[in-house]
Amino acid sequence: MPMHYINLSGYKFTKLNDLEKFQHELLTTCQHLGLKGTILLSSEGINIFVCVKPETLAPFSACIHAIVGPLTFKESPSVEIPFKKMLVKIKPEIITFGVEGIDPENAPAPGISAQEFKAWLDAGKEVVVFDTRNDYEVRLGTFKNAIHLDIQHFRQFPEAIKKLPEEYKDKPVVTFCTGGIRCEKAAPFLLQQGFNNVYQLEGGILKYLEENGHAHYDGECFVFDKRIAVDAALEESDTIQCHGCRQPVTYEEQQSTEFVEGKSCPRCFA
């Protein structure tokens, strides 16, 4: 795929003050560079989803570095800009969880790299793999034999954990999500709840696919922009969003007689 644009996603948990000042600086810089996307700011850190041209990557990165220090982005190419506007928002949390006492900056769970996680799976190591994402994301693709919690929003994760078998608490556990940010809270929460051996997949699914392709992973990965989903090569897939229920609709589902473009899909046809 020609790299007309680069989609960047990244986050950092770090204490921030003067949020209004940073909001103004970021919005001014992004507008000057012609960027589009969303940046979330809070007292706990920054969460970034933006689309840049190759020549604007360096000045944008320099702006971020000046505010929060080093931050590693996950990159994926696209021929179009998958965002409509540039937004910089101030929020109570950069990823909504709603649980007090979780401190990803100072008390994170141990991480496991994409390469090491693949090695565990290659070797058939006994491990409980938790998908921390929402049900519509899981439906598009997930790791083989991963356990998901059938939640519709990450805020429901803490309550869903209470329904898991007690024996999971004594087994090695790996949590994963799209880019890693949800696991920064989910994995420490599991430790808080008495799970003894918890790791979070560094960089999430996107980093894993970048380094390992589809090994041990089935399907696509939902992304939060108008691309809707990417394949194992991190290229935009044929999945679209239903106009009626806003759920993702795969290419196969688009062949159904219950799919009416601009109206309905098999999930909301009735």
Side-chain angles (χ1 to χ4, degrees):
M1 173 187 291
M3 188 181 289
H4 297 170
Y5 299 97
I6 305 172
N7 297 289
L8 304 177
S9 63
Y11 64 88
K12 186 170 185 176
F13 285 95
T14 183
K15 185 173 179 57
L16 292 180
N17 299 309
D18 299 324
L19 296 179
E20 291 81 6
K21 172 190 172 185
F22 292 144
Q23 181 186 37
H24 176 73
E25 288 179 6
L26 285 166
L27 187 58
T28 300
T29 298
C30 290
Q31 289 176 337
H32 174 71
L33 295 173
L35 309 188
K36 292 185 179 180
T38 300
I39 298 176
L40 303 180
L41 290 170
S42 86
S43 59
E44 69 178 3
I46 190 168
N47 191 8
I48 302 166
F49 300 91
V50 298
C51 183
V52 304
K53 292 182 178 180
E55 61 269 25
T56 59
L57 174 56
F60 174 71
S61 297
C63 176
I64 296 298
H65 187 281
I67 293 174
V68 299
L71 191 156
T72 301
F73 291 109
K74 289 170 285 296
E75 302 181 8
S76 60
S78 63
V79 295
E80 297 180 343
I81 301 175
F83 303 100
K84 294 181 179 180
K85 57 181 71 174
M86 186 65 232
L87 301 172
V88 181
K89 300 180 179 181
I90 296 175
K91 295 281 189 177
E93 300 178 82
I94 56 173
I95 183 68
T96 303
F97 196 52
V99 175
E100 298 291 333
I102 304 297
D103 186 0
E105 180 183 10
N106 298 305
I112 182 170
S113 70
Q115 293 290 342
E116 186 175 5
F117 183 47
K118 179 179 181 296
W120 281 17
L121 298 177
D122 287 343
K125 179 181 175 73
E126 183 182 11
V127 58
V128 177
V129 182
F130 278 154
D131 193 330
T132 68
R133 299 172 303 154
N134 303 328
D135 52 4
Y136 60 88
E137 299 173 79
V138 176
R139 185 166 59 83
L140 280 186
T142 190
F143 286 101
K144 296 174 183 176
N145 301 317
I147 295 167
H148 67 88
L149 303 172
D150 197 28
I151 59 177
Q152 296 178 315
H153 195 283
F154 190 48
R155 286 191 300 265
Q156 298 170 339
F157 181 87
E159 189 64 28
I161 287 299
K162 298 177 182 178
K163 303 174 184 177
L164 293 174
E166 280 292 314
E167 58 262 29
Y168 286 176
K169 292 185 176 181
D170 295 319
K171 295 182 179 181
V173 170
V174 174
T175 68
F176 70 91
C177 57
T178 307
I181 189 169
R182 280 176 276 195
C183 292
E184 296 277 9
K185 293 190 173 182
F189 178 76
L190 290 175
L191 290 171
Q192 191 183 81
Q193 297 301 303
F195 288 74
N196 297 311
N197 194 7
V198 181
Y199 302 84
Q200 56 192 58
L201 178 60
E202 296 171 351
I205 298 169
L206 295 178
K207 188 64 175 177
Y208 183 93
L209 295 180
E210 177 187 334
E211 296 190 1
N212 301 311
H214 57 70
H216 306 289
Y217 188 89
D218 289 331
E220 304 170 356
C221 180
F222 183 90
V223 291
F224 293 89
D225 57 56
K226 73 177 186 179
R227 291 175 298 168
I228 309 302
V230 295
D231 59 21
L234 298 181
E235 296 187 357
E236 183 177 357
S237 73
D238 293 322
T239 294
I240 63 174
Q241 190 174 45
C242 175
H243 183 78
C245 66
R246 313 310 295 169
Q247 290 278 328
V249 187
T250 64
Y251 175 79
E252 291 75 17
E253 290 170 333
Q254 293 168 45
Q255 311 314 306
S256 168
T257 56
E258 297 177 339
F259 173 71
V260 182
E261 189 170 359
K263 291 186 178 180
S264 67
C265 72
R267 303 188 70 81
C268 70
F269 180 79

